[in-house]
Amino acid sequence: MSYIKGIGCGLLLALASYFYIRSRRRPDSNMKVMVSMEEFKGQPRLPKFAVPKRYDIRLKPNLTTCKFAGSVAIELKIVADTNFIVLNATELSIDTTSVSFTHPAAHSSNSKQQVLKPLKVDVVKEDEILVLNFADTLPIGLGLLTIHFQGSLNDKMKGFYLSTYEHNGEKKNMAVTQFKPDDARRCFPCWDEPACKATFKITLDVPSQLVAISNMPIIEEKVDGDLKTISYQESPIMSTYLVAIVVGLFDYVEHLTSDGVKVRVYSQVGKVNQGKFALDVAVRTLELYKEYFAVPYPLPKLDMVAIPDFAFGSMENYGLVTYCETSLLYDVQHSTTADKQRVVIVVAHELAHQWFGNLVTMEWWTHLWLNEGFATWVSYLAADCLFPEWKVWTQFLDDYTEGLEMDGLTESHPIEVKINHASEIDEIIDSISYIKGASVTRMLQSYLGADCFQRSLASYVKKFACSNAKTEDLWAALEEGSGVPVNKLMNSWTKQKGYPVVSVKVEDQKLVFEQSRFLASGTHGDGQWIVPITLCCGSYDVRKIFLLQKSSETLDMKELMSDESNLASAWVKLNVDQTGFYRVEYDEDLEARLRNAIENKYLSATDRFGILEDSFALCMARQKSFTSFFTLMNAYKEELEYTVLSNLIKMSYKVERITADAAPESPVNIIYFFINLFLHSAMKLGWEPKTGESHMDAMLRGEVLTALAVFGHNLTLEEASRRFLAFLDDRNTPLLHPDIRKAVYVAVMRRVSTSNRFGYESLLRVYRETNLSQEKARILSSLTSSPDPNITLEALNFLLSSEVRIQDAVLGLAVSREGRETAWTWLKDNWEHISKTWGSGYLITHFINSIVSPFASLEKAEEIQEFFASRTNSKIARTLKQSIERVHINAYWVQSFRIEVQNELARALVEFVQACAIQ
């Protein structure tokens, strides 16, 4: 049901429930409802008999026993005749004797209240619902539902859970909530759906020495010996997944915005200085969003808290944003330039949610992208405003490519995917919802114009503030503001999966465009899109924008260039600055012109990136030869732009693996080619940071050195070893700047073997001694780089040990090429434990994707499929299908290379690579 202006949520629910109930009434005079509890089982949504208006929640967590006790009084509006109340609850012990529904006996203020007790209280475990069955039909109107309950602080990083930290050498517990997407029901009984917004009044009973934070400011605190009772100001209307509580021992730094909003960053005691950078970013970002959305930040305070055990990177709880430590804390001495940028992007993302998600909330999880896609896009907008010298929109292309890669799979899904049950939500928390959502937003903004887009977005936020919206509501606002048929334009991008490849060729001085669905498998795909085409011809001053609405169209090049003498040689670049979510395939003539333009530095970094990325994808889909791709790569031998070179490095890893699988004798020449390709930039950048160097050069240095280490460049391995030994003697040595530590750690591990364990054991010692989360992450992501399968197995087993936090284990799953088979055997041997430990959330998908996807044989795909045949569940089904599809794609790519090796093209390729390697 679409939103109707001027009609409140309660009335809409009442109308829907009225007709729902009418069909189930008895035909007698009492009009009692014939609904049995069985009718509530297996339903995707809660019934609409009752609408929550206000929650009064009291919780008493015990950090020693890891239990909690609680009560909730929910003010409800009964909107249709029913003798049932159905809400969400799971993993809670309900005190059935405490359950009651209080309702005024009549409208007179002197009347006594009527207290109704349910005949039956049932918890339906499979559906995570609590069903209360009353003897009589509940009176229409407001009432109060009261429930007492108990629960456990779990170790699953969801619901109300336990996190651990050290204080003065002693292990301590903290209590934390993580309710998104559907885990508030693990903390208190509630209507745990985004459309069921209400206000929340929270009271906590906690140990008096601890800090307790919630969404709203404290209004009263009473200390009684070792216990204190804290009452918080009532919240504005919000969804249950945004309620938050944190109880532990913290320090904080704080600052005020120009509006007087108090902003704090909480961290473990001793890490408070690491929160200062995020605090500054948060204050500036709130000011920026106030202007951009034309609506002030809605709450009186904003707290941001670093949590040691946290499954997601961050969570946008209203007024109390929680983060894993690596996403919030920045250590000037030991954090990298990339760490600093991550803090900015993540903080900007979560603060965008305070408007886009919290103030205006998706109606149901089908529209998750409205939250996540827009917050991702806005986070880059904010970062670009705060730090324009970082060129983050160019760096956005890294994310953009990730979205293209996933959406090029047959097993992708539309941006808007129908969610039938809350258990399906975890599977769409992925690159489609986040990255493709952000990319099509960027494409639309580019087409409509930044000013028009901003005004329309502000109008949308004002219109739907404190309520829920669907995708169509956003399109309507943008359509009204721009006069463009946005709904028609965007439906092809949000309601169908995939995206087009636009092929372009020259015929009789005309450009001929054709579109078809791009599939990484190289197979034919169905679909047609309304594609915003941007193109430049010979110069960025010669630009054309139009909509490709049919399968093919033509454009006369004479319309673009007045000087016809240049038509035969002018380069043509489609998808200028990569603002469109599509790929481009050029004919041989146009590709040669672009290659010349790259070599002569005529094109921007974003366009150089796009040409390379599209060529790589087409080669992988077997639509372009390896020889053609290597010829293009050679045009980038003097490339120094971070985003372009970073992507080229990722491609090199993939190509090296594929060629090694296809022809084990060929990788040596391929490796020499890549070493030669990256040495130019490595020599320019050096090992030491340079005064006044750019933010992007600082990030590039580590990536280039890592690539040379992976490919076994001896001089790089030697220098890395020298610097590592100096670091072991002095952890503050200037020889090992944080930006190159990952490269050095990888280089050290590339020389580790069963007979030479020094580097591995030294890295474990550093891991155990540091308390910096970012340093631990760097080490974990390096330990599996050894070419020795025995060391790889040892490192993988370390990930499962108690020394590694649960969310950090996934950091070490990207094993070396030599360790793939070892990792697969390890996954099978430990699957029961892995499934039990990580299977309740989205982290389990990392184990499958990281270990399964790199394989490149049809036999291995079949083996994987057989293993998981009896082990698949809804949490991993889509990821497993996608990973197996990637194995098939790799296998066909290997076959393609083998065929190329056997013909004349391959001989030319070998000669070409050898020549390039010698240069």
Side-chain angles (χ1 to χ4, degrees):
M1 182 184 297
S2 61
Y3 184 90
I4 304 172
K5 185 177 179 181
I7 298 182
C9 178
L11 180 54
L12 284 173
L13 292 173
L15 289 171
S17 301
Y18 173 76
F19 291 108
Y20 177 79
I21 294 299
R22 290 236 342 159
S23 64
R24 292 168 171 79
R25 286 184 171 181
R26 286 182 180 174
D28 61 19
S29 58
N30 292 326
M31 300 296 287
K32 289 193 175 179
V33 183
M34 285 190 64
V35 179
S36 71
M37 190 186 78
E38 294 302 313
E39 295 190 40
F40 304 124
K41 293 182 178 180
Q43 298 299 313
R45 306 279 290 268
L46 293 171
K48 312 300 183 185
F49 306 139
V51 181
K53 295 295 183 182
R54 179 182 186 270
Y55 292 81
D56 192 336
I57 303 167
R58 185 161 188 162
L59 295 169
K60 184 179 180 180
N62 187 319
L63 299 183
T64 302
T65 64
C66 303
K67 305 284 187 183
F68 66 91
S71 64
V72 61
I74 310 172
E75 186 177 307
L76 300 177
K77 187 172 185 180
I78 304 297
V79 297
D81 288 348
T82 180
N83 58 334
F84 286 92
I85 293 177
V86 184
L87 62 163
N88 294 114
T90 189
E91 297 179 5
L92 296 174
S93 176
I94 304 296
D95 180 359
T96 57
T97 63
S98 73
V99 180
S100 66
F101 182 73
T102 305
H103 195 282
H107 293 293
S108 169
S109 60
N110 296 323
S111 300
K112 293 182 179 179
Q113 290 184 324
Q114 182 182 10
V115 179
L116 304 177
K117 303 289 285 185
L119 285 175
K120 194 174 182 182
V121 177
D122 282 303
V123 176
V124 184
K125 186 176 180 181
E126 313 83 68
D127 295 307
E128 301 182 346
I129 58 173
L130 175 64
V131 181
L132 311 177
N133 187 355
F134 293 87
D136 298 309
T137 301
L138 299 174
I140 299 292
L142 292 176
L144 190 69
L145 176 65
T146 304
I147 305 173
H148 291 252
F149 53 90
Q150 291 184 329
S152 297
L153 297 171
N154 67 70
D155 60 355
K156 304 296 183 185
M157 295 185 288
K158 61 195 295 186
F160 202 9
Y161 74 91
L162 206 65
S163 179
T164 60
Y165 60 103
E166 280 195 7
H167 179 59
N168 294 332
E170 184 181 355
K171 186 177 180 180
K172 299 281 188 179
N173 291 335
M174 69 171 68
V176 185
T177 58
Q178 170 59 41
F179 291 161
K180 188 178 182 181
D182 61 339
D183 292 309
R185 63 192 70 180
R186 299 177 193 277
C187 182
F188 58 94
C190 57
W191 276 255
D192 204 8
E193 297 181 359
C196 297
K197 286 189 164 187
T199 61
F200 293 82
K201 178 74 174 68
I202 293 175
T203 304
L204 299 177
D205 297 308
V206 299
S208 55
Q209 78 276 15
L210 298 183
V211 174
I213 321 164
S214 189
N215 304 83
M216 300 299 289
I218 295 172
I219 56 174
E220 186 178 41
E221 184 171 321
K222 295 180 180 178
V223 179
D224 183 9
D226 292 336
L227 205 65
K228 63 182 176 182
T229 300
I230 304 175
S231 298
Y232 299 88
Q233 183 180 325
E234 188 164 334
S235 77
I237 188 172
M238 64 181 183
S239 304
T240 49
Y241 77 86
L242 296 171
V243 175
I245 296 161
V246 177
V247 181
L249 199 59
F250 295 99
D251 273 347
Y252 67 84
V253 288
E254 72 175 20
H255 196 58
L256 296 175
T257 69
S258 61
D259 292 341
V261 175
K262 184 180 290 185
V263 183
R264 287 180 175 177
V265 174
Y266 287 85
S267 60
Q268 291 182 52
V269 174
K271 294 186 176 183
V272 67
N273 287 333
Q274 296 176 33
K276 289 181 178 179
F277 177 66
L279 177 66
D280 176 65
V281 170
V283 171
R284 294 168 64 193
T285 301
L286 287 180
E287 302 282 8
L288 174 68
Y289 288 161
K290 178 183 67 175
E291 297 300 320
Y292 190 81
F293 295 118
V295 174
Y297 173 68
L299 303 185
K301 64 93 174 174
L302 171 69
D303 293 326
M304 305 196 300
V305 188
I307 307 297
D309 299 284
F310 200 76
F312 294 87
S314 48
M315 173 60 206
E316 68 267 21
N317 314 299
Y318 220 175
L320 174 52
V321 184
T322 44
Y323 300 81
C324 65
E325 291 190 333
T326 54
S327 296
L328 186 66
L329 304 182
Y330 173 74
D331 185 291
V332 175
Q333 186 174 359
H334 295 291
S335 296
T336 66
T337 305
D339 292 333
K340 186 176 188 178
Q341 180 172 300
R342 174 177 168 81
V343 169
V344 173
I345 296 291
V346 176
V347 168
H349 180 106
E350 299 309 332
L351 298 198
H353 276 310
Q354 306 302 303
W355 284 264
F356 236 96
N358 300 5
L359 184 63
V360 180
T361 310
M362 64 200 164
E363 190 275 336
W364 180 240
W365 298 106
T366 293
H367 307 282
L368 175 68
W369 88 277
L370 274 181
N371 278 23
E372 301 302 348
F374 262 81
T376 301
W377 171 76
V378 172
S379 68
Y380 279 87
L381 182 80
D384 188 53
C385 289
L386 298 179
F387 301 96
E389 69 279 10
W390 290 3
K391 300 179 182 177
V392 294
W393 278 122
T394 303
Q395 294 186 62
F396 174 76
L397 298 180
D398 284 335
D399 285 347
Y400 162 90
T401 298
E402 185 181 330
L404 287 170
E405 189 276 332
M406 178 173 279
D407 208 28
L409 300 176
T410 304
E411 292 294 342
S412 180
H413 64 81
I415 286 179
E416 287 185 81
V417 58
K418 187 176 181 181
I419 297 296
N420 293 311
H421 196 276
S423 63
E424 301 169 8
I425 300 166
D426 278 344
E427 282 226 289
I428 63 163
I429 298 178
D430 61 10
S431 297
I432 302 300
S433 298
Y434 283 70
I435 306 305
K436 184 180 180 181
S439 298
V440 299
T441 301
R442 178 171 173 254
M443 179 173 68
L444 182 59
Q445 185 225 24
S446 176
Y447 183 70
L448 297 181
D451 291 340
C452 171
F453 191 83
Q454 185 270 328
R455 289 193 305 270
S456 301
L457 207 57
S459 174
Y460 165 83
V461 170
K462 287 177 182 177
K463 182 175 181 179
F464 291 96
C466 301
S467 63
N468 298 86
K470 298 180 180 180
T471 301
E472 291 77 13
D473 299 317
L474 177 61
W475 296 158
L478 290 166
E479 200 162 298
E480 183 179 345
S482 67
V484 173
V486 173
N487 191 62
K488 179 183 176 183
L489 169 64
M490 296 306 294
N491 276 349
S492 65
W493 297 97
T494 62
K495 294 188 181 298
Q496 66 176 335
K497 62 182 177 181
Y499 58 87
V501 54
V502 177
S503 63
V504 56
K505 59 185 177 181
V506 179
E507 287 184 356
D508 299 326
Q509 296 189 340
K510 289 183 173 64
L511 293 175
V512 180
F513 305 91
E514 294 181 354
Q515 65 158 301
S516 60
R517 183 182 174 188
F518 176 83
L519 285 171
S521 62
T523 57
H524 174 76
D526 296 325
Q528 188 166 308
W529 290 259
I530 300 177
V531 189
I533 298 290
T534 54
L535 68 88
C536 287
C537 187
S539 164
Y540 284 105
D541 295 329
V542 182
R543 188 176 296 235
K544 175 78 173 177
I545 302 173
F546 68 96
L547 292 177
L548 177 60
Q549 303 191 57
K550 298 182 293 185
S551 58
S552 64
E553 290 189 25
T554 61
L555 178 67
D556 194 333
M557 292 185 71
K558 296 174 185 177
E559 295 180 20
L560 297 172
M561 303 188 70
S562 56
D563 186 356
E564 295 188 19
S565 63
N566 292 327
L567 289 179
S569 60
W571 54 265
V572 176
K573 172 63 173 69
L574 268 66
N575 198 9
V576 179
D577 289 331
Q578 301 304 112
T579 56
F581 194 75
Y582 57 91
R583 296 196 185 278
V584 181
E585 180 178 15
Y586 300 93
D587 68 9
E588 288 186 10
D589 175 39
L590 290 175
E591 187 174 87
R593 298 186 203 182
L594 284 171
R595 194 163 57 246
N596 180 67
I598 292 166
E599 290 171 342
N600 286 283
K601 299 179 174 57
Y602 295 151
L603 301 180
S604 68
T606 52
D607 286 329
R608 297 197 305 276
F609 178 103
I611 293 164
L612 182 66
E613 169 60 30
D614 289 344
S615 180
F616 176 72
L618 289 164
C619 178
M620 194 172 181
R622 294 166 291 129
Q623 306 300 306
K624 184 182 290 292
S625 70
F626 271 89
T627 302
S628 173
F629 178 61
F630 271 91
T631 302
L632 177 64
M633 273 201 295
N634 199 49
Y636 290 81
K637 59 181 178 290
E638 295 184 3
E639 183 63 59
L640 291 172
E641 180 70 30
Y642 167 76
T643 306
V644 182
L645 202 49
S646 174
N647 199 39
L648 187 54
I649 289 169
K650 293 186 184 81
M651 292 173 185
S652 70
Y653 294 152
K654 182 85 172 183
V655 170
E656 188 271 335
R657 287 188 178 216
I658 291 296
T659 54
D661 285 334
E665 71 282 358
S666 67
V668 174
N669 286 331
I670 297 292
I671 286 170
Y672 286 155
F673 173 81
F674 287 130
I675 288 174
N676 180 266
L677 195 61
F678 302 138
L679 270 177
H680 173 75
S681 55
M683 289 187 290
K684 287 275 187 181
L685 294 165
W687 287 81
E688 308 285 352
K690 296 178 173 60
T691 303
E693 73 179 356
S694 73
H695 173 84
M696 296 168 81
D697 279 353
M699 292 196 297
L700 180 59
R701 177 178 294 108
E703 292 202 26
V704 170
L705 292 174
T706 300
L708 291 174
V710 167
F711 291 129
H713 183 241
N714 281 326
L715 292 179
T716 300
L717 295 177
E718 291 291 343
E719 182 62 16
S721 179
R722 182 181 77 83
R723 290 172 181 266
F724 183 64
L725 291 173
F727 174 70
L728 292 179
D729 289 337
D730 176 11
R731 300 298 161 80
N732 295 313
T733 177
L735 287 176
L736 201 58
H737 188 276
D739 284 334
I740 63 168
R741 283 188 197 174
K742 170 70 182 292
V744 167
Y745 296 164
V746 169
V748 166
M749 287 304 302
R750 290 302 293 170
R751 287 188 162 180
V752 167
S753 65
T754 307
S755 59
N756 178 22
R757 297 173 53 86
F758 173 76
Y760 177 69
E761 291 171 351
S762 297
L763 278 175
L764 285 182
R765 187 168 73 251
V766 176
Y767 178 90
R768 288 164 177 146
E769 291 173 359
T770 185
N771 69 345
L772 185 70
S773 298
Q774 291 156 343
E775 179 74 344
K776 287 182 180 291
R778 280 193 288 270
I779 295 170
L780 289 175
S781 64
S782 306
L783 287 178
T784 52
S785 301
S786 170
D788 188 324
N790 293 320
I791 298 297
T792 298
L793 179 60
E794 194 171 334
L796 288 169
N797 286 333
F798 179 70
L799 298 177
L800 303 183
S801 73
S802 59
E803 292 188 68
V804 178
R805 292 189 184 273
I806 290 176
Q807 80 272 8
D808 290 343
V810 299
L811 299 174
L813 297 176
V815 302
S816 64
R817 175 172 58 83
E818 300 89 344
R820 282 180 302 178
E821 198 63 48
T822 299
W824 169 235
T825 303
W826 171 85
L827 182 70
K828 291 186 292 183
D829 291 345
N830 292 278
W831 180 252
E832 186 176 346
H833 170 70
I834 290 168
S835 184
K836 181 180 177 181
T837 306
W838 287 272
S840 63
Y842 87 105
L843 288 175
I844 187 73
T845 62
H846 288 269
F847 285 87
I848 295 171
N849 184 44
S850 297
I851 292 176
V852 168
S853 295
F855 284 109
S857 78
L858 299 179
E859 294 77 15
K860 182 60 69 175
E862 187 175 343
E863 178 189 335
I864 293 163
Q865 203 151 6
E866 287 177 2
F867 175 78
F868 282 107
S870 60
R871 297 172 175 88
T872 302
N873 58 50
S874 62
K875 295 282 187 184
I876 66 170
R878 192 190 300 274
T879 299
L880 180 61
K881 289 178 182 178
Q882 290 171 345
S883 298
I884 292 173
E885 183 180 352
R886 289 187 178 101
V887 176
H888 281 111
I889 291 167
N890 292 342
Y892 293 134
W893 205 20
V894 164
Q895 291 175 6
S896 175
F897 183 82
R898 284 174 179 161
I899 292 170
E900 205 167 329
V901 164
Q902 294 168 4
N903 61 27
E904 294 180 3
L905 282 175
R907 286 195 289 274
L909 169 64
V910 171
E911 293 171 5
F912 172 74
V913 169
Q914 288 175 335
C916 291
I918 294 170
Q919 288 176 6

